[in-house]
Amino acid sequence: MIQRRPWFADRTTGDLLILVIASTVCFSVLASGMALFIVTLWVPERDTTAGFHAVSDVVNTLIGLLAGFLAGRTDATLAKQRYAQAVEKADVAADG
């Protein structure tokens, strides 16, 4: 039987905070987009282009933030791996 680990088990508090904030912002962006879409369908004479531009700007910002977050996590993981390899080599050299 495959033992499953909880999804939040290996997450730091900072990661969880970022995920909660990002999910809140994503929900509000989706809700705003849906509201604009519904207004566009129900009241076609209403100009909603400014609203759609604002939502698209927020989406672009979120994509940039996500890319930066992932790049930072990748750099931190690589640094940890390099440090672990250096410590292991130092231990082997000291034993040898």
Side-chain angles (χ1 to χ4, degrees):
M1 183 173 152
I2 297 174
Q3 187 177 23
R4 293 184 180 213
R5 297 174 51 211
W7 189 76
F8 294 111
D10 294 333
R11 303 279 183 198
T12 63
T13 305
D15 288 349
L16 293 176
L17 183 62
I18 293 295
L19 290 171
V20 167
I21 291 171
S23 62
T24 303
V25 171
C26 288
F27 173 75
S28 64
V29 167
L30 286 174
S32 300
M34 286 299 297
L36 285 169
F37 181 71
I38 290 170
V39 166
T40 302
L41 290 179
W42 280 351
V43 189
E45 62 272 2
R46 177 76 112 190
D47 183 24
T48 55
T49 55
F52 281 114
H53 285 292
V55 170
S56 67
D57 288 344
V58 171
V59 168
N60 286 336
T61 303
L62 288 175
I63 290 170
L65 289 172
L66 177 64
F69 178 71
L70 291 176
R73 285 190 50 95
T74 302
D75 287 345
T77 302
L78 289 174
K80 285 180 187 177
Q81 288 176 350
R82 284 190 210 114
Y83 178 75
Q85 289 172 352
V87 168
E88 184 177 316
K89 286 180 183 178
D91 287 344
V92 170
D95 290 341

